[in-house]
Amino acid sequence: AQSVTQLGSHVSVSEGALVLLRCNYSSSVPPYLFWYVQYPNQGLQLLLKYTSAATLVKGINGFEAEFKKSETSFHLTKPSAHMSDAAEYFCAVSDPGNDMRFGAGTRLTVKP
Amino acid sequence: EAQVTQNPRYLITVTGKKLTVTCSQNMNHEYMSWYRQDPGLGLRQIYYSMNVEVTDKGDVPEGYKVSRKEKRNFPLILESPSPNQTSLYFCASSLLVGNQPQHFGDGTRLSIL
């Protein structure tokens, strides 16, 4: 069965610093991987997705993620954090014909 | 505008009083799903539907019912709500299941007293 582990329920960075949110997955077949962002009082919005094309995936708002099969990881990064990046981030995994499974989420705080 | 619409956005009610949360999508998506979000637990799937008249249990279906009579609508029904169903609920849809991203509604915050 597929599953996702997000390391760190809370991450705090200073404005302008690197953002790194960690995600490891488990899947018995090549997975599809997603990162979603949730701003307060809103639903989840798709940041980026990996569907077996390029291993480095670029998303919206300057975020990107790299699929590393050997490490079963799909970490989310952004070179320079903005105050507007403060939100909760969810990693999700699915495979063909199966439902999406979400991680527990990581709350990102950006300090001025 | 492509969207998933949930109603109501907020509801406070009492134990045992039946309620329905509606969900509608305008993207002609085959797949629809309900999740509940609780602190530290992420999103857990309640029920999903691959197509009209086809529904299946997710990870936490107890105490919930759904129906899919039309492609665009997927209501969530709590026949006899209890306080442990106090949560934030999301409806989502996608073109197909698996490799397609899901589109989410804005959520419904339910408080069962």
Side-chain angles (χ1 to χ4, degrees):
Chain A
Q2 52 194 344
S3 65
V4 168
T5 302
Q6 290 184 241
L7 297 174
S9 58
H10 290 89
V11 170
S12 181
V13 300
S14 297
E15 193 172 19
L18 172 72
V19 176
L20 171 61
L21 305 182
R22 299 177 187 274
C23 172
N24 287 90
Y25 69 90
S26 170
S27 177
S28 57
V29 298
Y32 298 113
L33 293 158
F34 307 82
W35 275 100
Y36 287 86
V37 60
Q38 183 183 30
Y39 299 104
N41 298 316
Q42 294 186 25
L44 278 69
Q45 301 172 32
L46 181 69
L47 266 181
L48 50 80
K49 64 178 180 179
Y50 166 78
T51 55
S52 75
T55 56
L56 183 62
V57 182
K58 294 189 184 300
I60 61 172
N61 301 337
F63 284 93
E64 61 182 35
E66 186 172 9
F67 172 69
K68 291 188 177 181
K69 184 178 178 180
S70 60
E71 299 177 8
T72 61
S73 70
F74 191 56
H75 301 331
L76 181 71
T77 60
K78 182 174 180 178
S80 176
H82 295 161
M83 297 297 292
S84 60
D85 294 327
E88 187 147 22
Y89 293 80
F90 292 92
C91 183
V93 63
S94 68
D95 55 60
N98 283 313
D99 297 305
M100 200 170 283
R101 288 287 181 265
F102 290 84
T106 297
R107 183 167 299 279
L108 176 67
T109 301
V110 182
K111 299 176 291 187
Chain B
E1 180 189 351
Q3 58 186 3
V4 177
T5 303
Q6 293 178 230
N7 279 298
R9 290 291 314 278
Y10 304 91
L11 179 63
I12 301 173
T13 187
V14 296
T15 299
K17 186 176 181 182
K18 180 180 178 180
L19 67 91
T20 299
V21 184
T22 63
C23 174
S24 180
Q25 51 93 5
N26 63 359
M27 295 166 280
N28 202 35
H29 283 170
E30 303 277 339
Y31 180 85
M32 297 186 75
S33 183
W34 275 103
Y35 298 89
R36 61 178 288 173
Q37 183 181 10
D38 301 288
L41 298 177
L43 277 78
R44 294 180 293 167
Q45 191 179 52
I46 303 170
Y47 269 94
Y48 64 95
S49 170
M50 298 278 198
N51 212 328
V52 176
E53 301 292 1
V54 179
T55 63
D56 274 300
K57 295 177 180 179
D59 297 320
V60 289
E62 294 78 20
Y64 305 95
K65 285 175 56 178
V66 293
S67 69
R68 188 94 182 271
K69 294 186 173 64
E70 309 160 278
K71 200 172 191 178
R72 62 183 292 126
N73 295 324
F74 191 45
L76 179 70
I77 302 156
L78 284 70
E79 293 269 4
S80 183
S82 62
N84 64 10
Q85 293 178 298
T86 292
S87 187
L88 179 59
Y89 291 84
F90 288 101
C91 181
S93 72
S94 64
L95 190 59
L96 298 168
V97 67
N99 65 344
Q100 301 291 321
Q102 294 192 37
H103 298 254
F104 283 81
D106 285 335
T108 295
R109 187 167 291 282
L110 286 183
S111 294
I112 316 293
L113 305 177

